Amino acid sequence: MAQWTSAVGAAQLGRLLNSQQDRPAGPGTRRPPAYRALADGVRLLVLEGRVPVAARLPAERELALALSVSRTTVAAAYEALRAEGFLESRRGAGSWTAVPAGNPLPARGLEPLPPEALGSLIDLGTAALPAPEPWLTRAVQGALEELPPYARTHGDYPAGLPVLRAMIAERYTARGIPTMPEQIMVTTGAMGAIDAICHLFGGRGERIAVESPSYANILQLMREAGARLVPVAMAEGLTGWDMDRWRQVLREAAPRIAYVVADFHNPTGALADEDQRRRLVDAARSAGTVLVADETMSELWLDDGVEMPRPVCGFDPAGSTVVTVGSASKAFWAGMRIGWVRAAPDVIRSLVSARAYADLGTPVLEQLAVNWLFGTGGWEQAVELRRAQARQNRDDLLTAVRRELPNWEFEVPRGGLTLWVRAGGLSGSRLAEAGERVGVRVPSGPRFGVDGAFEGYVRLPFTVGGAVADEAAARLAAAARLVEAGASGGGEAPRTFVA
């Protein structure tokens, strides 16, 4: 019986391997043998989760043709992977990926680092800050005072607590977007919202247009749902969205859904202007595409004088095209797993009906806590504290990276929580692996792309400041030296792996 649970085609594996471009070797630098480079490339893809564990690899002859190398090279690479524990084989069943005994399974998204590991590893993987106290404690205390009437019910509110739905609707109305409570569904975080939307509109095999790059965990959620991702390249720097390209993709690919982060885009930090938003909504409407607008970063402007454009849904007065997703997780605290969907009432009814087969509802106590924050002004004070913290971290990180890694390139976003960095010609995947060795966790660019794009990038979040930011940059510089020296490409697996 075969041990593999999925398969990777030769063409797909070839694209992933070809994306791993290191800078050209300098004088006197010895390149590894071809089989060793191939084995290292496959091992790196497995460690990053870009090729899943228990995935059947192409036959030797098939991969050799796809890569234009000899079958002997592929056979030697497979043998090296088997010796290192990254490949298992059985006659008649083929070869499939594995991880050596004792290694945790690599995740395919960006999972938070376990708190117990924070002492030995600086975490630049997750764009999330500690809770803005005392507002978390006050919100929970306020929620407990409001809890008794709800405790006398069954506690299941598939659409969300009526008081919170009304409060969220009022907040949209105050932003100039008239909204009824019937247009709101409360979810378990933004991920829960987008998962529900994908299952309602997407379906297995449906096309979903996504920015390229885009948020890694959402891309993986869509892959797991069986979607066919259609990448639409972002413009260079912070200019954001290429509307001609978007209109072409929506017209020609006719995706059922398009997913965008127009407010301080994750990972680039770009902010779409009003003209881009209007044209994107018009293009989606013309193509019959549901446009999912992720607003989770919309309140995280960091510089004075930033004028926020109207929400994307403000350009869809009929409510027939745009579905908006919001969340407390980025602006307040990731541990506050409260998100919401704003859409036409019939869409909300369909989402609520489908929830009977998912999670039934969102925790009542957390909904009451967010409602307390919205109703007392605590939200605005907590978010202002969050902005000040992220702004200081951003400035500290920029200073440290410029000092330690002067050849790394980036544009400074005016909001959000992330910096998108071109890593001086180095492989982001190899930097991530080398970073594990020197005590810093950083996600590589390909996690934010489709089919191996952005190998030369890493994403840095505004989650550490002061001396920790200095140390993080110093460790990144040490990782870069390892990659430049070729030390991260050896056959020995890292001692630890954090996804």
Side-chain angles (χ1 to χ4, degrees):
M1 180 178 178
Q3 301 294 312
W4 49 273
T5 56
S6 62
V8 180
Q12 180 188 7
L13 184 57
R15 287 194 300 272
L16 292 171
L17 289 167
N18 287 333
S19 73
Q20 298 174 333
Q21 297 297 324
D22 289 318
R23 65 172 55 186
T29 301
R30 294 182 59 189
R31 288 194 176 278
Y35 85 90
R36 182 69 263 171
L38 175 55
D40 289 344
V42 173
R43 177 175 59 87
L44 199 58
L45 292 172
V46 173
L47 286 174
E48 280 214 310
R50 290 161 61 200
V51 168
V53 175
R56 188 178 188 275
L57 296 186
E60 294 172 1
R61 186 186 303 277
E62 186 181 0
L63 185 58
L65 287 171
L67 299 179
S68 298
V69 299
S70 71
R71 183 177 176 182
T72 301
T73 296
V74 177
Y78 278 14
E79 182 57 37
L81 289 167
R82 277 190 287 269
E84 295 159 12
F86 286 93
L87 195 69
E88 296 182 7
S89 303
R90 179 176 298 170
R91 186 178 297 276
S95 299
W96 55 92
T97 56
V99 293
N103 280 41
L105 288 177
R108 303 195 70 191
L110 300 179
E111 294 184 348
L113 186 66
E116 62 269 18
L118 292 175
S120 59
L121 199 62
I122 297 177
D123 184 13
L124 297 181
T126 303
L129 290 161
E133 289 287 25
W135 298 108
L136 175 62
T137 298
R138 292 181 183 178
V140 173
Q141 290 171 342
L144 287 171
E145 293 176 2
E146 299 293 328
L147 183 61
Y150 297 95
R152 291 191 287 271
T153 73
H154 52 61
D156 286 334
Y157 294 87
L161 295 183
V163 292
L164 181 56
R165 296 176 72 196
M167 183 68 74
I168 294 170
E170 288 176 14
R171 290 175 66 83
Y172 276 106
T173 300
R175 294 167 67 189
I177 314 297
T179 303
M180 303 178 294
E182 292 79 9
Q183 291 177 263
I184 302 296
M185 182 177 84
V186 181
T187 63
T188 308
M191 292 289 288
I194 294 170
D195 182 58
I197 293 166
C198 287
H199 279 88
L200 177 64
F201 290 109
R204 186 163 294 276
E206 291 281 3
R207 294 185 179 91
I208 300 181
V210 295
E211 298 147 327
S212 182
S214 187
Y215 179 37
N217 285 346
I218 293 297
L219 294 180
Q220 191 56 34
L221 181 154
M222 293 172 176
R223 291 186 187 103
E224 297 290 345
R228 298 163 59 191
L229 300 184
V230 182
V232 185
M234 298 283 287
E236 285 295 320
L238 297 178
T239 55
W241 290 258
D242 184 330
M243 288 300 106
D244 291 336
R245 192 171 294 166
W246 266 103
R247 185 174 293 277
Q248 178 184 2
V249 168
L250 293 179
R251 181 179 64 248
E252 295 178 358
R256 187 70 181 93
I257 301 172
Y259 169 77
V260 297
V261 186
D263 300 292
F264 307 119
H265 175 259
N266 186 355
T268 68
L271 177 65
D273 61 31
E274 291 211 357
D275 182 62
Q276 290 172 326
R277 295 169 190 236
R278 179 185 298 107
R279 293 174 64 190
L280 184 57
V281 173
D282 289 345
R285 184 183 297 115
S286 297
T289 297
V290 176
L291 181 61
V292 180
D294 185 333
E295 287 190 334
T296 54
M297 298 281 191
S298 64
E299 296 189 64
L300 290 176
W301 61 86
L302 304 182
D303 292 340
D304 295 333
V306 176
E307 293 188 13
M308 292 301 296
R310 278 186 292 168
V312 175
C313 59
F315 300 94
D316 181 36
S320 59
T321 299
V322 178
V323 175
T324 302
V325 172
S327 172
S329 297
K330 294 297 185 184
F332 186 75
W333 184 47
M336 187 69 77
R337 304 304 305 161
I338 298 295
W340 52 86
V341 178
R342 181 199 180 275
D346 62 318
V347 172
I348 295 297
R349 286 193 294 270
S350 296
L351 289 169
V352 171
S353 177
R355 200 166 192 182
Y357 311 103
D359 61 358
L360 292 177
T362 303
V364 169
L365 187 63
E366 292 183 27
Q367 292 187 72
L368 290 172
V370 171
N371 190 65
W372 183 92
L373 287 166
F374 285 158
T376 62
W379 177 268
E380 285 71 24
Q381 295 183 67
V383 172
E384 183 54 44
L385 181 63
R386 169 68 77 238
R387 292 191 196 108
Q389 188 179 16
R391 183 185 308 116
Q392 186 61 59
N393 286 352
R394 179 195 65 179
D395 295 345
D396 290 347
L397 185 65
L398 294 177
T399 299
V401 171
R402 283 169 173 154
R403 180 182 63 248
E404 299 287 345
L405 296 150
N407 63 327
W408 285 22
E409 303 170 40
F410 50 82
E411 290 193 43
V412 182
R414 304 189 69 190
L417 291 173
T418 57
L419 186 70
W420 186 236
V421 181
R422 191 190 299 270
L426 298 179
S427 160
S429 299
R430 297 189 185 281
L431 279 168
E433 185 186 20
E436 297 284 338
R437 298 169 182 266
V438 298
V440 61
R441 175 185 185 240
V442 58
S444 66
R447 288 186 175 273
F448 303 89
V450 178
D451 274 349
F454 309 109
E455 183 60 53
Y457 290 80
V458 294
R459 189 196 73 172
L460 305 180
F462 308 143
T463 53
V464 296
V468 180
D470 291 339
E471 179 62 21
R475 295 185 186 187
L476 285 172
R481 289 191 292 272
L482 283 176
V483 175
E484 288 175 325
S488 66
E492 181 183 350
R495 287 169 293 179
T496 59
F497 177 80
V498 182

